[in-house]
Amino acid sequence: MSESYRQLLDATVQHLEGLKARGVRHVVVAPETLRALTLPPTAGKSPNSYSKPQIQSAIVPPKIEPAISMPPKKPAAPTSVVLPKAAIPNLKIEIISSSPEKAAAFTALRERALACVKCPHLAASRTTVVFGVGNIDAQLMFVGEAPGADEDEQGEPFVGRAGQLLTKIILATGLSRADVYIANILKCRPDTPGQSAGNRPPTPEERATCIPYLQEQIDLIKPKAIVALGATAVDGLLGKAPGITKLRGQWQTYRGIPLMPTYHPAYLLRNQAMTEKRKVWEDILKVMEKLEMPITEKQRNFFLKT
Ligand code: URA
């Protein structure tokens, strides 16, 4: 790594740490800023094959190769920046490197959602609005139910136990959380009055009130596939569906986008049977095939009896 790149990186980390110390928990990085920290885009991929997004965030282990001598000639293309993972814990760095219009629309949407008080009871009980996380140019999007206590605390979807399992599933495909986009049907944690802990499913009214935010996210991201995690996500996106057990593993369509229903990772935590894990993995393999991602023999055989 060149000295100038190292200095730039150190200054960036210092700045982000300063923001965090002042209570900032989420930053959006503009394309111009990103450009100053970037590596040239990789070239030569077949247009049909899955191109792993070149955008990574702080949760990606650093693998930094030089350097910033010349900016890329066509800087509008997605580029990559890697910031040291452990340097800024609890600070989400969302790097927006798509078109400026898309980035601006996404930021505006986020701001509207963060200020939302359409469900006064949820606005009163929430710690944060859990808008969503990941790459707004992602080809793959995961949709869950609603934030739980951990997500409400941290402002990021799927960071609790179920989230850790989802992260493992994503990693098993060869992608990282920063390559995909993760959101929920509901952006606020469903309140549990009279209970000090626990979760409850969103009510139909809460879902109907919140779903336009998710629809706008999907319309902006335009993923090539959506994975709906669990009955609430499937029902929330498709309307009254025949039930997750019947639907899982079968391609559906949502707003013109292929949608794969599968079990929620929380279900896999409750039911540790290999057969259930394999079912989810088979659904994920179908998604990988749809996205023309490379699949190894080892990946094909996960959770199969040997
Ligand atoms: N379960 C969900 O459905 N979403 C989260 O963000 C966390 C747990």
Side-chain angles (χ1 to χ4, degrees):
M1 187 190 314
S2 76
E3 190 48 34
S4 57
Y5 187 71
R6 151 80 43 215
Q7 282 171 4
L8 185 59
L9 212 52
D10 287 348
T12 306
V13 169
Q14 223 175 358
H15 175 66
L16 292 170
E17 278 172 344
L19 288 177
K20 198 184 111 189
R22 295 202 295 279
V24 175
R25 287 290 172 270
H26 179 267
V27 289
V28 174
V29 181
E32 310 80 59
T33 315
L34 180 62
R35 219 167 285 146
L37 288 164
T38 53
L39 306 170
T42 21
K45 285 259 168 78
S46 137
N48 289 330
S49 67
Y50 179 85
S51 52
K52 191 172 166 180
Q54 299 299 303
I55 305 158
Q56 302 180 18
S57 78
I59 60 171
V60 180
K63 227 203 246 166
I64 303 171
E65 283 303 315
I68 298 204
S69 41
M70 291 284 287
K73 282 214 172 96
K74 285 200 173 162
T79 46
S80 81
V81 60
V82 185
L83 297 171
K85 179 188 182 181
I88 323 151
N90 299 328
L91 180 67
K92 277 187 294 303
I93 301 171
E94 184 162 339
I95 296 166
I96 292 184
S97 78
S98 61
S99 75
E101 294 76 22
K102 180 172 174 179
F106 215 81
T107 301
L109 174 60
R110 174 192 293 281
E111 278 164 12
R112 269 193 287 130
L114 295 195
C116 182
V117 288
K118 285 182 195 160
C119 304
H121 58 298
L122 300 187
S125 63
R126 75 189 175 209
T127 311
T128 56
V129 173
V130 182
F131 178 70
V133 73
N135 178 359
I136 69 164
D137 295 324
Q139 296 187 20
L140 178 56
M141 185 161 172
F142 289 86
V143 176
E145 178 175 309
D150 294 315
E151 290 77 19
D152 177 54
E153 184 72 29
Q154 297 182 41
E156 178 168 339
F158 283 99
V159 290
R161 279 186 71 225
Q164 284 158 21
L165 181 52
L166 176 63
T167 303
K168 281 190 188 164
I169 294 170
I170 294 168
L171 291 173
T173 68
L175 298 173
S176 75
R177 277 175 74 100
D179 295 322
V180 302
Y181 197 88
I182 307 173
N184 282 309
I185 294 285
L186 212 65
K187 307 273 180 253
C188 293
R189 183 183 182 209
D191 60 343
T192 51
Q195 282 175 242
S196 59
N199 291 326
R200 67 162 173 84
T203 65
E205 293 73 32
E206 289 165 347
R207 274 171 23 181
T209 307
C210 205
I211 200 85
Y213 292 121
L214 180 62
Q215 285 169 344
E216 278 192 60
Q217 281 173 305
I218 293 171
D219 290 348
L220 282 169
I221 295 171
K222 296 191 176 51
K224 292 208 173 114
I226 298 172
V227 176
L229 299 161
T232 301
V234 173
D235 198 17
L237 292 172
L238 300 179
K240 262 273 161 272
I244 183 69
T245 319
K246 285 221 174 82
L247 271 195
R248 69 138 280 274
Q250 295 175 46
W251 283 110
Q252 309 293 317
T253 305
Y254 179 71
R255 295 172 98 74
I257 299 166
L259 179 143
M260 175 56 70
T262 196
Y263 292 142
H264 194 285
Y267 167 74
L268 294 183
L269 292 175
R270 290 194 301 274
N271 184 342
Q272 298 269 341
M274 220 48 138
T275 49
E276 301 309 282
K277 289 182 187 159
R278 177 66 197 177
K279 283 179 194 163
V280 170
W281 185 243
E282 278 171 10
D283 302 343
I284 297 294
L285 284 174
K286 286 184 186 168
V287 173
M288 291 172 73
E289 279 164 5
K290 174 78 77 189
L291 296 178
E292 299 185 47
M293 291 172 67
I295 304 178
T296 64
E297 257 330 273
K298 191 173 166 200
Q299 283 173 318
R300 286 224 176 270
N301 295 331
F302 280 165
F303 307 115
L304 281 181
K305 278 206 197 101
T306 46

